[in-house]
Coordinates of all heavy atoms in Angstrom, one line a residue:
H27 N -13.1 34.1 7.8 CA -12.2 33.8 8.9 C -12.8 34.2 10.3 O -12.0 34.6 11.2 CB -10.8 34.5 8.7 CG -10.1 34.0 7.6 ND1 -9.5 32.8 7.5 CD2 -9.9 34.5 6.3 CE1 -8.9 32.6 6.4 NE2 -9.1 33.6 5.6
R28 N -14.1 34.2 10.4 CA -14.7 34.6 11.7 C -14.6 33.4 12.7 O -14.8 32.3 12.4 CB -16.1 35.0 11.5 CG -16.2 36.5 11.1 CD -17.6 36.9 11.2 NE -18.1 37.0 9.8 CZ -19.4 36.9 9.5 NH1 -20.3 36.6 10.4 NH2 -19.7 37.0 8.2
G29 N -14.5 33.8 14.0 CA -14.6 32.8 15.1 C -13.5 31.8 15.1 O -12.4 32.0 14.6
V30 N -13.8 30.7 15.7 CA -12.8 29.6 15.9 C -12.6 28.8 14.6 O -11.5 28.3 14.3 CB -13.2 28.7 17.0 CG1 -12.3 27.5 17.2 CG2 -13.4 29.5 18.3
K31 N -13.7 28.6 13.8 CA -13.6 27.8 12.7 C -13.9 28.6 11.4 O -14.8 29.4 11.4 CB -14.7 26.7 12.8 CG -14.6 25.5 12.0 CD -15.6 24.5 12.4 CE -15.3 23.2 11.6 NZ -16.3 22.2 11.9
N32 N -13.1 28.3 10.4 CA -13.3 29.0 9.1 C -14.6 28.4 8.4 O -15.0 27.3 8.6 CB -12.1 28.7 8.2 CG -10.9 29.5 8.6 OD1 -11.0 30.4 9.3 ND2 -9.7 29.0 8.2
K33 N -15.2 29.3 7.6 CA -16.3 28.9 6.8 C -16.1 29.4 5.4 O -15.3 30.3 5.1 CB -17.6 29.5 7.4 CG -18.1 28.9 8.7 CD -19.4 29.6 9.0 CE -20.0 28.9 10.3 NZ -21.3 29.4 10.6
I34 N -16.9 28.8 4.5 CA -16.9 29.3 3.1 C -17.9 30.4 3.0 O -19.1 30.2 3.4 CB -17.2 28.2 2.1 CG1 -15.9 27.3 2.0 CG2 -17.5 28.8 0.7 CD1 -16.1 26.2 0.9
Q35 N -17.6 31.5 2.5 CA -18.5 32.6 2.2 C -18.9 32.5 0.7 O -18.0 32.7 -0.2 CB -17.8 33.9 2.4 CG -18.7 35.1 2.1 CD -19.8 35.2 3.2 OE1 -19.6 35.1 4.4 NE2 -21.0 35.5 2.7
W36 N -20.1 32.0 0.4 CA -20.6 31.9 -0.9 C -21.0 33.2 -1.5 O -21.8 33.9 -0.8 CB -21.7 30.9 -1.0 CG -21.3 29.5 -0.7 CD1 -21.3 28.8 0.5 CD2 -20.7 28.5 -1.7 NE1 -20.8 27.6 0.3 CE2 -20.4 27.3 -1.0 CE3 -20.5 28.6 -3.0 CZ2 -19.9 26.2 -1.6 CZ3 -20.0 27.4 -3.6 CH2 -19.7 26.3 -2.9
K37 N -20.6 33.6 -2.7 CA -21.0 34.9 -3.3 C -22.3 34.7 -4.0 O -22.9 35.7 -4.4 CB -19.9 35.3 -4.3 CG -18.6 35.6 -3.6 CD -17.5 35.9 -4.5 CE -16.2 36.1 -3.8 NZ -15.0 36.2 -4.7
V38 N -22.8 33.5 -4.2 CA -24.1 33.2 -4.8 C -24.7 32.2 -3.9 O -24.0 31.4 -3.2 CB -23.8 32.5 -6.2 CG1 -25.2 32.2 -6.8 CG2 -23.0 33.5 -7.1
E39 N -26.0 32.1 -3.8 CA -26.7 31.1 -3.0 C -26.3 29.7 -3.6 O -26.3 29.5 -4.8 CB -28.2 31.3 -3.1 CG -28.8 32.3 -2.2 CD -30.3 32.4 -2.3 OE1 -30.9 31.3 -2.1 OE2 -30.8 33.5 -2.4
V40 N -26.0 28.8 -2.7 CA -25.6 27.5 -3.1 C -26.7 26.8 -4.0 O -26.3 26.1 -4.9 CB -25.3 26.6 -1.9 CG1 -24.8 25.2 -2.3 CG2 -24.2 27.3 -1.0
T41 N -27.9 27.0 -3.7 CA -29.0 26.4 -4.4 C -29.1 26.9 -5.9 O -29.6 26.2 -6.7 CB -30.4 26.6 -3.8 OG1 -30.5 28.0 -3.6 CG2 -30.4 25.9 -2.4
K42 N -28.5 28.0 -6.2 CA -28.6 28.6 -7.5 C -27.3 28.3 -8.4 O -27.2 28.7 -9.5 CB -28.7 30.1 -7.4 CG -30.1 30.5 -6.8 CD -30.2 32.0 -6.8 CE -31.6 32.4 -6.2 NZ -31.8 33.8 -6.1
L43 N -26.4 27.5 -7.8 CA -25.2 27.2 -8.5 C -25.5 26.2 -9.6 O -26.4 25.4 -9.5 CB -24.1 26.6 -7.6 CG -23.4 27.5 -6.6 CD1 -22.6 26.7 -5.6 CD2 -22.6 28.5 -7.4
D44 N -24.7 26.2 -10.7 CA -24.7 25.2 -11.7 C -24.0 24.0 -11.2 O -22.7 23.9 -11.3 CB -24.1 25.8 -13.0 CG -24.1 24.8 -14.1 OD1 -24.7 23.6 -14.0 OD2 -23.5 25.1 -15.2
Y45 N -24.7 23.0 -10.8 CA -24.1 21.8 -10.2 C -23.2 21.0 -11.2 O -22.2 20.4 -10.9 CB -25.1 20.9 -9.5 CG -25.4 21.3 -8.1 CD1 -25.9 22.5 -7.8 CD2 -25.2 20.4 -7.1 CE1 -26.1 22.9 -6.5 CE2 -25.4 20.7 -5.8 CZ -25.9 22.0 -5.5 OH -26.1 22.3 -4.2
H46 N -23.7 21.0 -12.5 CA -22.9 20.3 -13.5 C -21.5 20.9 -13.7 O -20.6 20.2 -14.1 CB -23.6 20.4 -14.9 CG -24.7 19.4 -15.0 ND1 -24.5 18.1 -15.4 CD2 -26.1 19.5 -14.9 CE1 -25.7 17.5 -15.4 NE2 -26.6 18.3 -15.1
H47 N -21.4 22.2 -13.4 CA -20.1 22.9 -13.6 C -19.2 22.8 -12.3 O -18.1 22.4 -12.3 CB -20.3 24.3 -14.0 CG -19.0 25.1 -14.2 ND1 -18.2 24.8 -15.2 CD2 -18.5 26.1 -13.4 CE1 -17.1 25.7 -15.1 NE2 -17.3 26.4 -14.0

Side-chain angles (χ1 to χ4, degrees):
H27 294 286
R28 275 192 253 154
V30 178
K31 199 171 186 182
N32 289 338
K33 288 186 174 181
I34 287 185
Q35 180 70 44
W36 291 92
K37 297 174 183 171
V38 178
E39 281 185 47
V40 180
T41 54
K42 294 183 179 177
L43 287 173
D44 178 5
Y45 273 59
H46 279 281
H47 180 68

